[in-house]
Amino acid sequence: MKKAERVLIIDALNMFIRNYIVDPSLSIGGHPIGGVKGFMKSLQKTVREVKPDQIIICWDGKGGSRRRKQSNKNYKEGRAPIRLNRNIKNLTENEEVQNKHWQQIRIIEYLNHLPVVQFRIEGLEADDVIGHICRMPEYREKEKVILSMDKDFIQLVDEKTVLMRPIAKEVLNRTKILEQYNIHPNNFAIARAIAGDKSDNIDGIKGAGLPTIAKRFPFLKEEKSYYTSDIVEFCEDLDKQLMIHKRILDNEKMILDNYKIMQLYAPAISPQASSSIREKLDIQERFFNKTGLLQLFMEDGVAEFNWADLYSCCKRICFKASNQNF
């Protein structure tokens, strides 16, 4: 039996921020380079563990939050500034912003030398692109590993998809999610719509955390998909309503609006964007410019790190891609 192709899908900004915060490395010129170095080291560690046949990198596009902000003006507002995990501060606030932006661009330059597919689509967040790819017919039977700390991706987990959360050191499949949350991935978005999401400044029902939701709505652990109307109907039919049920009935519109923002089962992607994604994924040629990558490593002072596992993975992806073309 032919082994299913394994695809690694990376929430790029999420991975960058994790490393940017904790890695104090400086470039040869004395500028912070930790986000870049940490990103590449995390990439190498992940490919060593996952052994992917294809790597997809998804960035937030320009104006990616616009649609969600139109639905909820508070979306991602009021976020606390990023606090670096170090005492030394050698840049002004403005210089820090510029350096952070430069490091993200630099990572994209690094990745352009690797046999990966990168997406940064205007008007779309990485979540939308990842959700769309996971639902594409040609990817349904492939093994998919989503790399991100974002719990929103739990809703995409199925028999062929797992969520790898590196800081938590956990890989969530469908069984583990049911054991941990008593909520099926198919119903995780509606549960989160009720609970809200503080990290994105999305208000939820007061007192309705995920454990409470799982307890009061036990049917959410079923594989069947439930929606706002089902939750409301369940609350209305109860002979004895608790406070959570009353609050849900009083805030039906808020829950529905939250669900539209948070669900990734059917992302709002234009036909043009969908076509662009498919065309880029259909390209069979995969190139690895080791010389170009090494040049960037040397320019930034990170060439001394052992990148053998990353090189090996890139060569394997290129070899497999070239064989598929014959």
Side-chain angles (χ1 to χ4, degrees):
M1 183 176 178
K2 185 179 179 182
K3 182 183 176 182
E5 185 175 351
R6 182 171 295 169
V7 184
L8 173 61
I9 307 174
I10 297 177
D11 179 4
L13 184 60
N14 187 277
M15 188 157 92
F16 167 73
I17 294 297
R18 291 198 316 268
N19 289 288
Y20 173 77
I21 289 172
V22 302
D23 194 324
S25 298
L26 299 177
S27 69
I28 292 176
H31 303 295
I33 195 73
V36 175
K37 182 179 179 181
F39 186 102
M40 298 304 292
K41 287 172 67 176
S42 292
L43 177 60
Q44 173 163 255
K45 181 178 184 295
T46 304
V47 300
R48 183 192 305 129
E49 295 172 352
V50 175
K51 296 179 174 56
D53 301 299
Q54 183 181 7
I55 301 173
I56 300 173
I57 313 280
C58 298
W59 297 90
D60 290 345
K62 182 180 178 181
S65 300
R66 187 181 303 120
R67 177 180 62 82
R68 289 181 171 91
K69 284 182 179 291
Q70 289 173 346
S71 298
N72 184 340
K73 65 180 181 180
N74 296 318
Y75 178 67
K76 290 189 175 181
E77 288 294 324
R79 282 185 164 183
I82 295 174
R83 296 181 62 182
L84 303 181
N85 187 20
R86 62 198 70 124
N87 295 323
I88 301 173
K89 188 176 179 68
N90 58 354
L91 297 180
T92 66
E93 189 172 320
N94 185 53
E95 288 172 338
E96 201 167 272
V97 170
Q98 292 179 354
N99 174 265
K100 178 168 168 261
H101 178 69
W102 173 82
Q103 287 197 55
Q104 292 178 62
I105 298 300
R106 193 62 164 174
I107 291 172
I108 293 173
E109 292 175 358
Y110 275 49
L111 296 174
N112 283 339
H113 292 295
L114 304 184
V116 305
V117 182
Q118 284 195 86
F119 288 106
R120 189 170 179 267
I121 302 176
E122 185 171 351
L124 293 178
E125 292 187 75
D127 302 37
D128 300 312
V129 179
I130 293 172
H132 181 74
I133 291 172
C134 286
R135 290 297 187 261
M136 289 174 63
E138 50 267 55
Y139 278 83
R140 283 177 187 158
E141 294 306 312
K142 296 182 180 182
E143 294 180 357
K144 298 171 289 294
V145 179
I146 301 172
L147 183 72
S148 178
M149 283 300 297
D150 194 339
K151 288 184 178 179
D152 283 341
F153 292 116
I154 288 177
Q155 61 186 283
L156 297 178
V157 172
D158 56 27
E159 67 278 2
K160 293 288 186 179
T161 310
V162 299
L163 173 61
M164 179 180 283
R165 305 183 71 235
I167 295 179
K169 296 182 179 179
E170 63 181 3
V171 178
L172 296 178
N173 57 21
R174 194 164 50 181
T175 300
K176 287 184 178 180
I177 291 168
L178 285 168
E179 290 174 352
Q180 187 170 332
Y181 295 100
N182 274 320
I183 298 171
H184 195 283
N186 290 349
N187 295 308
F188 209 79
I190 187 61
R192 293 265 281 171
I194 297 170
D197 185 354
K198 289 183 179 179
S199 66
D200 283 339
N201 201 30
I202 299 175
D203 292 332
I205 299 299
K206 185 179 179 180
L210 292 178
T212 301
I213 293 169
K215 181 179 179 180
R216 299 304 176 191
F217 304 94
F219 53 86
L220 292 180
K221 67 182 177 183
E222 299 172 9
E223 186 173 1
K224 176 185 174 182
S225 296
Y226 288 93
Y227 304 96
T228 307
S229 57
D230 300 305
I231 300 293
V232 169
E233 184 178 345
F234 177 83
C235 294
E236 289 175 338
D237 291 344
L238 289 172
D239 294 329
K240 186 178 180 180
Q241 294 176 347
L242 300 177
M243 185 57 69
I244 184 175
H245 303 124
K246 294 176 182 177
R247 286 173 176 164
I248 284 175
L249 291 176
D250 290 340
N251 292 278
E252 179 182 353
K253 184 179 184 303
M254 180 187 74
I255 296 171
L256 180 60
D257 290 342
N258 286 354
Y259 182 80
K260 290 177 181 178
I261 289 175
M262 302 171 85
Q263 69 84 22
L264 299 175
Y265 307 118
I269 291 184
S270 69
Q272 293 84 357
S274 177
S275 178
S276 174
I277 291 171
R278 176 169 277 103
E279 287 176 7
K280 202 164 184 178
L281 290 171
D282 282 345
I283 297 175
Q284 294 298 314
E285 291 81 10
R286 295 287 180 260
F287 301 103
F288 174 35
N289 183 1
K290 182 179 177 180
T291 302
L293 180 64
L294 184 58
Q295 178 64 38
L296 294 179
F297 281 154
M298 293 176 67
E299 289 176 9
D300 294 334
V302 297
E304 77 283 356
F305 191 78
N306 186 351
W307 301 102
D309 289 335
L310 179 61
Y311 294 159
S312 177
C313 176
C314 290
K315 290 176 182 177
R316 182 170 52 80
I317 289 175
C318 290
F319 178 77
K320 184 163 184 175
S322 63
N323 285 346
Q324 287 177 344
N325 291 334
F326 291 102

